[in-house]
Amino acid sequence: MTDAATKPALPTYADVEEAAARIKGIAHHTPALTSATANRRTGASLVFKAENLQRMGAFKFRGGYNAIAALSPAQKQAGVVTYSSGNHAQAIALAGKLLGVPTTIIMPEDAPAAKVAATQAYGGEVVRYDRYTQDRLAIGAQLASERGLTVIPPYDHPHVIAGQGTATKELIEDAGPLDILLVCLGGGGLLAGAALAAKALNPACRVFGVEPEAGNDGQQSLRSGKIVKIAVPKTIADGAQTPFLGELTFPIIQALVEDIVTVSDEALIDAMRFFAERMKLVVEPTGCLAAAAAFTAAVPVEGKRVGVILSGGNVDLANFARFIAPSS
Ligand SMILES: *Cc1c(COP(=O)(O)O)cnc(C)c1O
């Protein structure tokens, strides 16, 4: 999707509404949770959208299901291919299974074992690659042309962005107007969708993206006005190791997002501990990005009503135990 002539139109809030109708009764309407401790700690009124409790464990089910459901009967019959560090893979595999569509998933060799196993368990055919030396887009394009598959990329796709926006639509409809919305940022599907929904339902809401300190390509892109590409960042936030924003997600983010901030891996671990201990929630490192921005005041939230998207909960239990173990 680099050629302007073939670039699809940017999605709008109407597409988010259509996505909400497609996923209704299939995706979970996840709860909006509060914590008196979190409010005391930040001086804000925080509402957490618990997408770690979504089907397959992350918001990605929304966009994946919406994108496959919107295909033509012939496209559905031929099947889809995607590339992902994990959660989009599981989303496509599960959505394909529910819709009777065959799925092929290109996954990095160092993807968390739990994510690979879950993708295969949902019936996806997994093809491995080395994310530090091989180009997953090229592998995807080749498989698509050889097998007649439709490519469903993890974030730079109108129906994926629109599907991800349904999480924020539910949050604002359930929790009421917000002053600030904090959203984890990888390739920007979640943030772009969230911004479309927030600005349509609650125009005064200021939307912030949060990415790992080790890979602030989104922040650099927003500040320089063009998509900045970086080396694959090394961070425990494996769902946000995307080295650049999308051609569709970036213009939406540019138009609707206030700023992009960063948090350290230490702040993610601190947030994971908080959710496990205080809220009895398993949230994966990437899923803690937005919350960590509130806890560290990377975005000043004191006195504000703040929506925080907990984007996912898929973490190997051995890693989780290591992360949350008290340091000796
Ligand atoms: C994919 C993912 C993200 C980042 O989403 P983008 O749409 O790529 O920005 C954040 N958190 C989790 C848990 C994810 O799986």
Side-chain angles (χ1 to χ4, degrees):
M1 284 199 233
T2 49
D3 179 356
T6 61
K7 187 167 140 181
L10 296 180
T12 66
Y13 183 63
D15 297 297
V16 179
E17 289 181 305
E18 253 178 48
R22 280 196 196 99
I23 68 168
K24 193 174 163 64
I26 298 160
H28 293 320
H29 185 127
T30 54
L33 305 173
T34 58
S35 157
T37 310
N39 290 349
R40 259 198 312 278
R41 190 170 158 177
T42 55
S45 170
L46 303 176
V47 191
F48 299 100
K49 178 65 168 167
E51 285 295 295
N52 58 315
L53 304 178
Q54 184 52 264
R55 288 185 82 161
M56 54 59 57
F59 71 90
K60 292 248 178 27
F61 181 69
R62 297 172 181 271
Y65 188 92
N66 186 47
I68 298 182
L71 294 175
S72 72
Q75 288 172 315
K76 284 181 181 158
Q77 198 180 359
V80 300
V81 60
T82 193
Y83 36 83
S84 167
S85 64
N87 284 333
H88 179 68
Q90 289 177 65
I92 289 295
L94 175 57
K97 183 168 119 171
L98 295 172
L99 290 160
V101 174
T103 55
T104 302
I105 288 106
I106 301 162
M107 292 184 88
E109 274 155 8
D110 61 349
K115 293 184 175 181
V116 178
T119 303
Q120 287 167 328
Y122 288 132
E125 187 199 329
V126 174
V127 175
R128 312 299 291 271
Y129 81 107
D130 177 353
R131 73 162 115 195
Y132 297 100
T133 61
Q134 286 182 296
D135 176 10
R136 63 187 194 173
L137 280 110
I139 299 171
Q142 189 188 342
L143 280 175
S145 75
E146 278 170 14
R147 304 185 189 178
L149 310 177
T150 301
V151 180
I152 310 226
Y155 53 88
D156 214 21
H157 183 291
H159 290 133
V160 171
I161 295 168
Q164 318 309 30
T166 60
T168 294
K169 178 177 185 289
E170 289 173 14
L171 174 61
I172 293 172
E173 286 171 354
D174 290 348
L178 303 167
D179 301 313
I180 291 173
L181 177 66
L182 302 177
V183 184
C184 317
L185 174 61
L190 182 63
L191 179 58
L196 288 174
K199 290 298 179 183
L201 295 170
N202 185 180
C205 178
R206 294 156 68 225
V207 181
F208 292 84
V210 186
E211 62 186 352
E213 217 169 65
N216 72 334
D217 61 286
Q219 188 180 58
Q220 291 183 48
S221 301
L222 193 62
R223 290 177 186 178
S224 70
K226 60 178 182 0
I227 298 173
V228 172
K229 302 190 182 188
I230 61 169
V232 175
K234 299 215 164 148
T235 164
I236 60 170
D238 56 281
Q241 284 183 306
T242 332
F244 48 86
L245 297 178
E247 309 224 331
L248 302 179
T249 59
F250 181 57
I252 297 171
I253 290 168
Q254 252 186 325
L256 303 179
V257 168
E258 191 82 12
D259 199 5
I260 294 170
V261 301
T262 65
V263 297
S264 67
D265 279 7
E266 290 68 35
L268 297 178
I269 290 171
D270 180 65
M272 283 175 87
R273 286 195 183 124
F274 173 83
F275 289 118
E277 186 170 42
R278 297 298 180 146
M279 296 181 73
K280 318 306 165 191
L281 294 175
V282 175
V283 185
E284 64 182 276
T286 315
C288 289
L289 283 163
F295 294 157
T296 61
V299 174
V301 293
E302 206 179 332
K304 305 290 186 199
R305 215 175 138 62
V306 184
V308 178
I309 299 193
L310 303 182
S311 55
N314 292 327
V315 53
D316 281 336
L317 276 188
N319 282 337
F320 185 65
R322 196 165 49 79
F323 287 139
I324 66 169
S327 42
S328 49

